[in-house]
Amino acid sequence: MNITSQIKQPIQQEMELFEKKFYESMTSKVALLNRITYYIVNRKGKQMRPMFVFLVAKMVSGGKVNERTYRGASVIELIHTATLVHDDVVDDSNRRRGFFSINALWKNKIAVLVGDYLLSKGLLLSIDNGDFDLLRIISVAVREMSEGELLQIEKARRLDITEDVYYEIIRQKTATLIAACCALGAKSVSEDEVLVEKMRKFGELIGMAFQIKDDLFDYTDDAIGKPTGIDIKEQKMTLPLIFALNNCTSKEKSWCINSIKNHNKDKKRVKEVIQFVKDKNGLAFAEQKMIEFQQEALLLLQNFPNSEYKSSLELMVNYVIERKK
């Protein structure tokens, strides 16, 4: 059994019912929209976000979920899907999880409108059911994700990101959505604000570790045995690179920044930058930071009674940093 199936095992029934409810929550009177949402549903990823919602809800409540839990999971997946559709437009990307993206098949205008539609569907699902507490959690996440993206764009132009600014960018861009999933799971079954905040923090720490792992993929060998260097080509400042730039001579620094700014399409130069980051222990430093976030997340689970839900969450935390893609 692969690790994702193992993690899913204690919430198998919930996930199956969730998929039905999620598809229903996307339906519309417009045939074109239904065709596109059907396409989206059939190309779903691992569904880590709803899994977090259900596992956290069941862990903190002793195995119970309710309609609010399902709505929380649906809203987060609707919003997440909307942001992916919009991201593909922003990045001018033609592929998503190995399939054609919405903008590649139906053009940008339709993709933007579909993203807007999914976003409004998510908000209305909460409003129509009076889940204003859940809506608040989600709305904060959407605001932070937008701010994180814009902060990254602003900083990327000057390539002057410090370690602290980097953490702030990934906290907003990536970690905030996983934090919202865990907070939603807890909030759907409990009124205990301390508990909800604890689970939000747990999700945030996993999100930080998850993003650093993504950064490391750029420097480690991919399936064809070569480092990809995509982040370098896109002039993205990642943790291994930031560490290398902070621990080198001014001459090396200007060579590296010049390579990223002006020679990022030159395969040989990109390879040299990758080697430079490795030589300066950028990868070792990023790995150490990733493990620190992971350990901090696991600590937050310690005081919960042992259960299959807690075991699955621990598996999930370890999977985040051990995954191969």
Side-chain angles (χ1 to χ4, degrees), residues 53 56-57 60 181-191 195-196 199:
V53 176
V56 167
V60 303
C181 295
C182 298
L184 276 178
K187 188 72 180 162
S188 71
V189 294
S190 168
E191 285 302 310
L195 175 70
V196 173
M199 294 327 297

Side-chain angles (χ1 to χ4, degrees), residues 36-53:
I36 296 172
T37 52
Y38 181 76
Y39 180 82
I40 290 170
V41 168
N42 283 320
R43 280 151 191 78
K44 60 183 183 293
K46 295 188 188 77
Q47 293 189 306
M48 275 174 69
R49 286 154 194 86
M51 281 157 68
F52 273 122
V53 176

Side-chain angles (χ1 to χ4, degrees), residues 91-248:
D91 297 339
D92 203 11
S93 171
N94 290 324
R95 312 289 284 183
R96 164 72 60 185
R97 297 191 188 111
F99 296 98
F100 283 114
S101 58
I102 303 299
N103 50 304
L105 291 173
W106 284 282
K107 301 289 172 266
N108 282 353
K109 185 176 181 179
I110 289 175
V112 170
L113 293 170
V114 168
D116 291 346
Y117 172 77
L118 295 172
L119 198 61
S120 66
K121 272 292 207 185
L123 302 179
L124 284 167
L125 184 60
S126 297
I127 291 165
D128 291 346
N129 291 285
D131 298 329
F132 297 108
D133 50 348
L134 304 185
L135 185 58
R136 183 177 184 83
I137 292 170
I138 291 150
S139 302
V140 168
V142 173
R143 183 197 70 204
E144 295 225 305
M145 284 157 69
S146 314
E147 284 179 353
E149 283 286 356
L150 287 163
L151 178 61
Q152 184 175 39
I153 291 166
E154 177 197 326
K155 294 293 180 185
R157 287 187 178 144
R158 294 203 302 273
L159 294 182
D160 64 348
I161 297 183
T162 61
E163 207 181 313
D164 286 344
V165 170
Y166 166 83
Y167 292 134
E168 186 52 22
I169 289 171
I170 68 166
R171 186 190 68 72
Q172 291 186 316
K173 238 185 74 164
T174 306
T176 194
L177 194 63
I178 299 176
C181 295
C182 298
L184 276 178
K187 188 72 180 162
S188 71
V189 294
S190 168
E191 285 302 310
D192 181 347
E193 288 302 334
V194 176
L195 175 70
V196 173
E197 174 51 30
K198 186 178 185 177
M199 294 327 297
R200 188 201 67 76
K201 186 69 188 164
F202 167 75
E204 184 174 285
L205 290 163
I206 294 175
M208 302 289 279
F210 184 90
Q211 185 56 54
I212 296 173
K213 178 69 175 179
D214 260 10
D215 287 358
L216 285 163
F217 281 138
D218 210 43
Y219 295 91
T220 45
D221 296 346
D222 68 0
I224 50 170
K226 290 184 189 140
T228 52
I230 289 165
D231 289 337
I232 295 167
K233 288 171 194 143
E234 291 177 358
Q235 301 189 27
K236 276 190 192 145
M237 293 294 275
T238 57
L239 192 55
L241 180 61
I242 291 164
F243 181 81
L245 287 174
N246 288 339
N247 292 278
C248 65

